[in-house]
Amino acid sequence: MRKWLIGCGVLFGIVLVLCIGVLVWAFTPPKIDIPPRQLPPNNAYDEYRAMAEEMKQRLDADTRFKQIENAATAGQPLSATDRAYYLQRIEPYLRRYQSLTQRPSIVSVERSVHTRLPELAQIRRIARAEVYLMREELRQKRYRAAIARADRLSRLAEQVRNGGPLIHYLVGVAIHAIALQPIREELPRIQDRAALEALLKLARDYEKRRVPLWKCMQEEYYFILSVYQELLDGRTTIDQLTGSDSTPQTSTSRDEMLPYQLLVKTALPELNRVMTQAIEESKQPFHKRRPEKMDPDKNARHLLNAIIIPVSFEASDKEASEVATMRLVGCTAAIRLHKLRTGKYPASLEALQLGEMIIDPFSGKPFVYKTDPRFGFLLYSVSQNRTDDGGQSPYGGAPESRGDLSPVSVRVPDHLKGVRREQLPLVAPVWLR
């Protein structure tokens, strides 16, 4: 009997210790370490934000400007009066951003779910205005001036995403696409040596300064950790994260914070695992990345992680598409320059001595390159489906799950306008001279 009582006492003591341990664990806030950003002096991003606030106030309230802007973006011809008004309103900001592209820039906004980012919309507005002017210059065969605008936009794209999370990275992707679109449409006609040298330099400079996706994935991880810290501090709620409640958060009692504390504590190990895995996978060469490792959203089982972790494999495809497009444009310029120097096309892309620029991100091999004395040369990437479709590509030049990626973007012809994108035929291979 005595032994039984002693055994019960020991068992009770163990259970008591375990219960106390669980309570201590539950009431002890988790420690979240978030490294601070190292911002450069004279950081251009702060001025981009100030400029964006001014643009939002002045241009969004200008009904006439917005109507003209919409027409210009849609490619509609503007009257001389409307064109003059449009440029009068937007040119001060074009001059300001032009000088800012020469300065160091790191995203400096607070890592918070409550942070507003007006600069991202206004930066796209700047890109659309630059493209409007680029198209005018391309029509006038002022190729170097148009390429100089594309170079400024390329610098802007990298400034926007340097030190930023995924949303900044995707805005950078959009700016690069906007900047290259008119040049890709005009590419079959760009034969001027100086313009070709400028295009090749644009592609080379891009290779040097581009911000890789993994760095923005790393910043996305820090952003999520900051949001979890806001939950612990009572500065945000689950309802605000899901968008079901937009009211500002008031002070939260200890009892109300305990469920959030438990949620964050149990979510952190999985968050650390899946985000670290995605970041490391995004450092791999494009063609070696595994979708199941790159998409932390699919690997998240915890409720809190499932709410906030982003889908990132699509961003990986966008990174590969952007790199492939810029490289294709650079290789096209290099092939034409080789022909101008030697009188013949290079026997292979390796003969151009461009290093990594000839590599198709989707295959890990040189781009598909063919020559024909009757037609010139054919150059393309196997694109997202990793299949050689003979150089057939989608209208508009955007990579899709079908077809290849050409350096040339072909507009949808009038007789096919209105047809759903997935039902459009592919464009025949575009041979260049």
Side-chain angles (χ1 to χ4, degrees):
M1 185 67 175
R2 184 180 176 187
K3 290 182 178 180
W4 182 83
L5 290 174
I6 293 174
C8 289
V10 170
L11 180 61
F12 177 78
I14 292 173
V15 171
L16 181 61
V17 169
L18 288 175
C19 289
I20 293 173
V22 169
L23 288 173
V24 170
W25 176 86
F27 280 93
T28 302
K31 185 179 181 181
I32 299 178
D33 292 319
I34 308 169
R37 291 191 182 98
Q38 299 298 318
L39 300 178
N42 202 24
N43 188 12
Y45 199 87
D46 296 329
E47 293 197 30
Y48 280 126
R49 280 181 63 80
M51 185 175 72
E53 291 287 358
E54 182 181 319
M55 291 174 69
K56 189 174 186 298
Q57 291 177 10
R58 294 187 178 183
L59 300 184
D60 284 0
D62 188 333
T63 304
R64 182 185 176 190
F65 172 85
K66 291 178 69 176
Q67 290 174 342
I68 299 172
E69 180 183 47
N70 291 337
T73 301
Q76 300 172 10
L78 302 183
S79 68
T81 303
D82 283 349
R83 180 186 181 280
Y85 185 80
Y86 176 63
L87 294 182
Q88 174 198 354
R89 298 289 283 160
I90 196 69
E91 275 191 334
Y93 302 110
L94 297 185
R95 289 194 297 270
R96 282 172 64 178
Y97 112 86
Q98 181 177 347
S99 64
L100 290 175
T101 59
Q102 303 303 314
R103 285 166 45 181
S105 177
I106 294 180
V107 174
S108 54
V109 296
E110 182 185 2
R111 294 164 174 151
S112 170
V113 73
H114 303 293
T115 298
R116 297 294 174 258
L117 303 168
E119 66 273 19
L120 298 185
Q122 301 306 322
I123 282 170
R124 286 193 292 266
R125 170 174 269 163
I126 284 173
R128 291 192 294 268
E130 284 282 56
V131 165
Y132 171 76
L133 294 171
M134 282 174 64
R135 291 192 182 281
E136 285 189 342
E137 291 163 345
L138 290 170
R139 284 194 294 269
Q140 298 165 8
K141 309 300 181 185
R142 297 170 56 206
Y143 293 136
R144 281 179 289 174
I147 295 167
R149 290 188 190 275
D151 180 69
R152 287 197 293 273
L153 287 178
S154 177
R155 292 175 183 275
L156 175 64
E158 300 311 323
Q159 286 182 314
V160 166
R161 59 192 180 193
N162 189 23
L166 273 179
I167 186 172
H168 287 75
Y169 186 85
L170 295 175
V171 170
V173 169
I175 294 172
H176 275 298
I178 291 170
L180 282 181
Q181 186 67 14
I183 289 175
R184 293 175 66 202
E185 291 173 3
E186 186 66 18
L187 196 57
R189 292 167 288 280
I190 301 179
Q191 299 285 351
D192 175 73
R193 182 187 295 272
L196 293 172
E197 289 173 346
L199 272 182
L200 180 55
K201 184 177 185 302
L202 169 66
R204 279 177 162 154
D205 288 346
Y206 165 83
E207 291 281 340
K208 295 175 185 175
R209 67 188 173 217
R210 80 175 181 90
V211 177
L213 173 63
W214 74 263
K215 289 190 175 181
C216 293
M217 288 287 294
Q218 182 78 67
E219 181 58 33
E220 184 75 24
Y221 179 31
Y222 297 152
F223 170 79
I224 295 172
L225 289 175
S226 297
V227 173
Y228 285 5
Q229 188 64 60
E230 287 183 320
L231 284 170
L232 292 174
D233 295 342
R235 288 179 288 154
T236 194
T237 65
I238 296 293
D239 289 341
Q240 288 174 324
L241 291 182
T242 59
S244 58
D245 180 11
S246 59
T247 57
Q249 176 67 0
T250 57
S251 59
T252 307
S253 69
R254 179 78 176 178
D255 291 342
E256 292 173 320
M257 287 175 59
L258 183 58
Y260 288 163
Q261 189 166 293
L262 292 173
L263 271 176
V264 171
K265 261 196 162 180
T266 53
L268 279 174
E270 181 185 77
L271 173 70
N272 296 335
R273 176 177 56 81
V274 299
M275 289 301 294
T276 299
Q277 176 180 272
I279 292 164
E280 290 305 310
E281 195 68 21
S282 63
K283 294 179 182 179
Q284 295 295 316
F286 301 100
H287 65 286
K288 291 185 177 180
R289 295 176 185 175
R290 295 164 292 179
E292 70 276 9
K293 302 289 186 182
M294 271 295 298
D295 197 346
D297 176 66
K298 290 185 178 178
N299 296 316
R301 299 291 179 265
H302 192 281
L303 170 65
L304 191 55
N305 291 332
I307 290 173
I308 197 169
I309 286 180
V311 176
S312 61
F313 187 68
E314 288 183 5
S316 179
D317 265 354
K318 288 180 183 297
E319 181 183 32
S321 300
E322 177 187 289
V323 171
T325 303
M326 187 67 81
R327 289 179 177 177
L328 285 168
V329 170
C331 285
T332 299
I335 292 168
R336 283 178 166 163
L337 286 168
H338 187 280
K339 177 79 181 300
L340 288 174
R341 286 194 307 269
T342 67
K344 57 184 180 181
Y345 295 118
S348 67
L349 293 180
E350 286 84 352
L352 297 172
Q353 297 183 333
L354 295 177
E356 196 73 9
M357 197 187 298
I358 69 169
I359 300 300
D360 183 350
F362 291 105
S363 68
K365 302 174 183 178
F367 292 115
V368 180
Y369 169 66
K370 303 175 184 178
T371 60
D372 189 298
R374 298 167 298 169
F375 306 119
F377 69 92
L378 180 65
L379 179 72
Y380 59 89
S381 157
V382 295
S383 197
Q384 291 182 4
N385 63 7
R386 276 73 167 173
T387 302
D388 188 339
D389 293 302
Q392 298 181 95
S393 58
Y395 281 105
E400 294 183 6
S401 58
R402 62 193 186 117
D404 298 320
L405 177 60
S406 169
V408 177
S409 176
V410 179
R411 291 190 178 191
V412 178
D414 290 340
H415 71 279
L416 290 177
K417 287 181 178 177
V419 177
R420 295 178 61 180
R421 186 159 191 83
E422 62 271 17
Q423 295 176 343
L424 285 171
L426 293 174
V427 179
V430 179
W431 289 79
L432 297 168
R433 291 190 180 275

